[in-house]
Amino acid sequence: MKDKKILNIGIDLGTSRSVIVCDNGIRQAIPSFIGYPKDAVSLKLLGEMVYGEDAIRHRLSVKLYRPFDKGVLLQDNSDKKGDAHLKSSAIARALLRKLVAYAFEEEEDDKLLLRGVIGAPALATQNNKKDFLEIADGVLDDVMIASEPFCVAYGMNALDSALIVDIGAGTTDLCRMHGTIPGPDDQITTFKAGDYVDQIFLELIENKYKEANFTVNMIKRFKEENASVSEHGEQLFIELPIKGKPTSCDVTNELREACHAIVPDIVEGIRKLVATFDPEFQDGLKQNVILAGGGSRMIGLHKEIETYMKKTLGYGKVTRVEDSLYAGANGALMLCKDMPDEYWDELKKRK
Ligand SMILES: Nc1ncnc2c1ncn2[C@@H]1O[C@H](COP(=O)(O)OP(=O)(O)O)[C@@H](O)[C@H]1O
Ligand SMILES: [Mg+2]
């Protein structure tokens, strides 16, 4: 083992996207989907398993799975030995394997010691830490699990007096940083995030254009290109088939309302984390709220949250991470490199 070269790896295992970043410069992101062929024909066409974009593209011929639901491993409340649980960890492991395979050439495999930090939804890291260790067993040689918002904070060196708001697909994870590894009291999870925006947007369009025929995938793409909470945006039109004919539909107000739907819970989460903190340090938190995750790309969101914070907390300063796709994995990689060898040895002994 000792003579192997260490490859440091940062992984962000998200509900909707999984990302790997390595210290050999390799980085890659894939949608967190796995598809298993539905029948003999699709098996011949696709092989035993398809991943990421391929799984989504072939969704009609495969059973599509993602490892997390609402921030925890799918159905992990069921009997621990039951099939459903096995399936969700098998899916997470297959995804992890696929991601890690991007990191090096096959022939290098037995020359490298693979050392990784896995960032995962905050709730899952509280409830399923052991499961993650099992999932990584046999894929990584050394592994540490951390919550996604903590990884984001670590990557930005925002370890002291910062409040991270990671707006993902299934959950928004809020995390208070105060110079140590955050505990359960420092984190709040709300289920209003990207998927919720899609759901509200879908319902609002269905109500307005009763004969339009569309899927959540179609409007999600539109959302990602146009999402904004600003009052002063331009008019937005989406083309949807009505009785088979593509028709231009005005969805300006619908998209804004859907984007707005996640704001009150986020602001309430921020208020709680500030209000329950040591009063002498509350100002520091208010001054350094950082938005991360795909949802942070909504235009005007940081200003909107500042306005709410002003009303409820006196003031607030909100910024966004620059690279929302890679921020979590970059932080996980930094954490991986910073942990001394003794720490990894210690982790191994505890296993
Ligand atoms: N430009 C954008 N505006 C608003 N939402 C976006 C944008 N880009 C991505 N999203 C949403 O962000 C969510 C995914 O964020 P991500 O941080 O990748 O999630 P996760 O960590 O759960 O995998 C999805 O709901 C996606 O639709
Ligand atoms: Mg995420």
Side-chain angles (χ1 to χ4, degrees), residues 5-288:
K5 190 168 167 276
I6 294 171
L7 179 66
N8 290 297
I9 300 175
I11 288 173
D12 170 357
L13 217 50
T15 318
S16 79
R17 234 168 240 287
S18 294
V19 182
I20 183 166
V21 179
C22 314
D23 64 357
N24 60 8
I26 287 174
R27 57 187 223 164
Q28 180 76 35
I30 59 171
S32 302
F33 281 102
I34 287 198
Y36 296 99
K38 278 183 184 165
D39 61 15
V41 174
S42 45
L43 180 68
K44 186 172 161 66
L45 183 70
L46 303 169
E48 276 181 12
M49 220 189 260
V50 276
Y51 300 86
E53 298 288 357
D54 283 344
I56 297 174
R57 197 168 329 116
H58 293 289
R59 64 187 171 279
L60 297 183
S61 37
V62 298
K63 278 193 191 150
L64 208 53
Y65 294 96
R66 47 186 201 179
F68 301 104
D69 186 31
K70 305 225 181 297
V72 290
L73 278 168
L74 259 176
Q75 305 180 37
D76 69 313
N77 290 331
S78 62
D79 171 11
K80 284 271 163 184
K81 301 237 157 15
D83 277 353
H85 174 69
L86 281 180
K87 207 182 275 164
S88 68
S89 29
I91 291 160
R93 178 195 286 255
L95 259 182
L96 188 66
R97 235 183 237 293
K98 176 75 182 170
L99 271 181
V100 171
Y102 284 110
F104 54 88
E105 305 283 331
E106 226 168 272
E107 62 271 20
E108 295 177 307
D109 191 6
D110 48 3
K111 298 189 200 111
L112 292 172
L113 183 121
L114 305 178
R115 178 173 280 179
V117 171
I118 302 180
L123 275 184
T125 58
Q126 280 165 34
N127 300 339
N128 309 106
K129 207 165 216 171
K130 260 190 119 164
D131 297 331
F132 280 106
L133 294 175
E134 274 171 38
I135 287 163
D137 201 25
V139 185
L140 296 171
D141 298 307
D142 286 340
V143 65
M144 175 184 159
I145 315 298
S147 84
E148 260 185 355
F150 173 62
C151 292
V152 170
Y154 201 88
M156 299 181 71
N157 212 2
L159 301 177
D160 199 17
S161 289
L163 210 162
I164 309 293
V165 181
D166 178 5
I167 309 168
T171 60
T172 296
D173 293 321
L174 298 96
C175 176
R176 185 165 71 187
M177 296 295 306
H178 47 78
T180 59
I181 294 179
D185 290 349
D186 297 314
Q187 311 203 36
I188 290 180
T189 293
T190 91
F191 297 120
K192 291 191 179 154
D195 288 349
Y196 184 77
V197 173
D198 299 341
Q199 192 52 41
I200 301 286
F201 191 33
L202 182 109
E203 286 166 16
L204 290 170
I205 303 179
E206 274 176 350
N207 265 335
K208 186 165 173 186
Y209 298 99
K210 297 205 163 48
E211 294 187 317
N213 199 320
F214 57 96
T215 65
V216 76
N217 257 326
M218 291 157 68
I219 61 159
K220 181 178 170 188
R221 240 175 288 140
F222 184 84
K223 172 199 79 172
E224 290 174 2
E225 281 157 19
N226 298 287
S228 164
V229 293
S230 164
E231 296 288 330
H232 311 292
E234 53 190 34
Q235 295 272 98
L236 296 174
F237 295 90
I238 183 173
E239 205 150 273
L240 297 174
I242 296 187
K243 294 183 182 157
K245 180 173 175 234
T247 309
S248 183
C249 304
D250 180 348
V251 292
T252 316
N253 294 332
E254 288 66 26
L255 182 56
R256 193 186 312 131
E257 188 177 334
C259 291
H260 254 286
I262 63 170
V263 175
D265 281 19
I266 292 178
V267 182
E268 177 53 17
I270 294 176
R271 194 197 60 73
K272 263 194 202 145
L273 285 179
V274 170
T276 55
F277 199 47
D278 186 315
E280 286 190 57
F281 295 94
Q282 291 184 1
D283 279 353
L285 285 187
K286 288 190 224 170
Q287 261 164 6
N288 197 14

